[in-house]
Amino acid sequence: MSGGSNRGGQSAVPVTVYGTRWCAATQFVRRYLDRLNVPYTFRDMDHDPEAATQVRWWTGGYLSHPTVQVGGDILVEPTSNDLQTALARNRLI
Amino acid sequence: MGRTNRLEELEGRFSQLANQLQDSPEKEAISILHAMLQESRREFAAGAAPAVEGKERAFEQVANLYKSAPAMGGAAENEGLPKGGLAPDFTLLDANGDPVSLSDFRGQPIVLVFYPLDWSPACSDQLSLYESEMSEFQRLGVQVIAVSVDSLYSHGAWSVVRGLTFPLLADFYPKGEVARLYQVYRTSDGFSERALFLIDSQGVIRYKAVSPELPHIPDIYELFDQLRSLIGKKASTGN
């Protein structure tokens, strides 16, 4: 599922949010990206075993949510500052 | 290839290997090393921020206590008042000691939030989430009110630490009376379910969500869908 809206034209660095619908921090991250108008894909770890496997592979075995992939950055339970830094580094904001 | 693109390409290749390796200590070790690299990168980026000391440091520690606080769990024990009925009025004290009644807000939609306890892990994230949506709630003309069994003094401190600007009401004595009124009091724990009631401008409950598990936060997208539907209906009927 995608959130946000396309910024049009140039293909941007992909952003994927791995999380759950009931996790407040996941909801916070998704809404933060919505407000910044950054397009992203949401993968619900409760219903997407591959997403859960992927996150465990990145995190040393933890089912950490949210985990956000911004290009080459894997952000595990990021703060808004972490997100902002990664989005800026990847020229998404 | 720029450094950012190179990292993205390497990360992409690394990600694809997840399903190609059998579970083993070696796979776990590689996974842990990857996590360490990403954490180092994150800490390096955060390292540019000036160190916080003294009272600011103490404030930060208190603000972050919830991250290491004991987890809270348990399945829902109550279903809450059904939608379609009138929301019972009540009066409770806010963090300033001022009485606040549900009927004070009659004429505008209300999101009435019952949460277990101040300072607890999931509650801290939940109320901060609502605070981050304040401009959207205001744009929709919606009042957010939160209720727990904590004292007004706890509410006052917690509001400051979390930067909450909406009313936190103390359902403190008789303990949980309003939670019982809304049928969301957990007698086994001595605090309420995590529950939301969306009340329309006429005082009718239009939506409710009782979390099936205590740490589960109601879906904010579903809440906004319900709110927009309510506001839309209001607009379309000209009320």
Side-chain angles (χ1 to χ4, degrees):
Chain A
M1 179 180 291
S2 294
S5 61
N6 290 324
R7 295 167 87 80
Q10 186 82 22
S11 74
V13 169
V15 178
T16 306
V17 178
Y18 295 77
T20 68
R21 293 190 181 282
W22 52 263
C23 164
T26 300
Q27 297 180 44
F28 179 87
V29 164
R30 293 181 62 196
R31 291 290 297 150
Y32 181 81
L33 294 171
D34 290 342
R35 282 193 288 275
L36 290 174
N37 209 25
V38 172
Y40 64 90
T41 301
F42 173 58
R43 294 190 64 178
D44 185 345
M45 290 159 65
D46 279 343
H47 302 286
D48 185 344
E50 286 185 12
T53 300
Q54 187 68 81
V55 167
R56 286 187 196 279
W57 174 234
W58 281 331
T59 60
Y62 296 105
L63 207 55
S64 304
H65 49 87
T67 294
V68 185
Q69 182 176 23
V70 183
D73 287 295
I74 307 297
L75 309 172
V76 180
E77 299 175 26
T79 63
S80 51
N81 280 344
D82 295 331
L83 266 176
Q84 193 175 25
T85 301
L87 293 171
R89 186 159 50 214
N90 288 279
R91 298 179 181 171
L92 288 165
I93 54 174
Chain B
M1 191 183 289
R3 263 184 294 180
T4 301
N5 287 346
R6 197 193 317 277
L7 184 62
E8 186 182 343
E9 187 263 339
L10 291 170
E11 190 60 62
R13 286 168 57 195
F14 181 85
S15 299
Q16 287 173 6
L17 290 169
N19 289 320
Q20 296 176 38
L21 295 173
Q22 297 295 319
D23 285 344
S24 65
E26 290 81 4
K27 180 177 180 181
E28 185 180 354
I30 294 167
S31 171
I32 291 170
L33 276 172
H34 177 269
M36 290 169 69
L37 275 174
Q38 286 289 346
E39 284 301 312
S40 299
R41 182 171 163 82
R42 173 178 173 169
E43 285 190 11
F44 180 77
V52 180
E53 295 176 348
K55 285 182 180 175
E56 281 187 46
R57 173 76 179 142
F59 184 90
E60 190 175 287
Q61 285 177 326
V62 172
N64 288 327
L65 271 177
Y66 77 98
K67 293 180 179 175
S68 56
M72 176 186 287
E77 297 176 357
N78 304 276
E79 293 183 0
L81 284 179
K83 64 179 185 179
L86 271 178
D89 196 17
F90 59 82
T91 302
L92 292 172
L93 297 180
D94 67 11
N96 299 314
D98 295 326
V100 174
S101 300
L102 186 73
S103 53
D104 293 344
F105 304 99
R106 186 63 57 85
Q108 68 181 125
I110 298 166
V111 175
L112 178 61
V113 181
F114 286 93
Y115 65 96
L117 289 170
D118 294 347
W119 307 102
S120 64
C123 301
S124 297
D125 280 338
Q126 181 184 17
L127 271 68
S128 291
L129 175 68
Y130 298 150
E131 185 63 37
S132 73
E133 297 291 350
M134 251 329 109
S135 61
E136 183 66 6
F137 285 126
Q138 286 167 357
R139 195 183 68 76
L140 294 168
V142 175
Q143 176 67 48
V144 177
I145 302 170
V147 177
S148 81
V149 296
D150 295 277
S151 74
L152 64 91
Y153 300 106
S154 175
H155 280 339
W158 199 52
S159 286
V160 170
V161 166
R162 302 236 62 79
L164 306 175
T165 58
F166 50 88
L168 302 186
L169 305 184
D171 195 11
F172 183 70
Y173 186 80
K175 189 182 181 188
E177 186 177 49
V178 174
R180 292 174 206 271
L181 194 60
Y182 279 75
Q183 298 176 11
V184 290
Y185 187 74
R186 296 171 63 90
T187 51
S188 62
D189 288 316
F191 49 71
S192 79
E193 304 283 1
R194 192 180 305 287
L196 286 182
F197 293 90
L198 174 55
I199 300 166
D200 73 12
S201 56
Q202 305 303 309
V204 176
I205 298 172
R206 293 298 182 189
Y207 166 75
K208 69 155 181 174
V210 178
S211 294
E213 297 287 337
L214 273 178
H216 288 203
I217 309 301
D219 187 339
I220 193 90
Y221 289 93
E222 189 175 312
L223 174 62
F224 278 134
D225 284 346
Q226 292 289 332
L227 272 172
R228 292 188 185 106
S229 171
L230 182 67
I231 307 293
K233 277 179 194 165
K234 179 182 167 189
S236 65
T237 55
N239 290 328

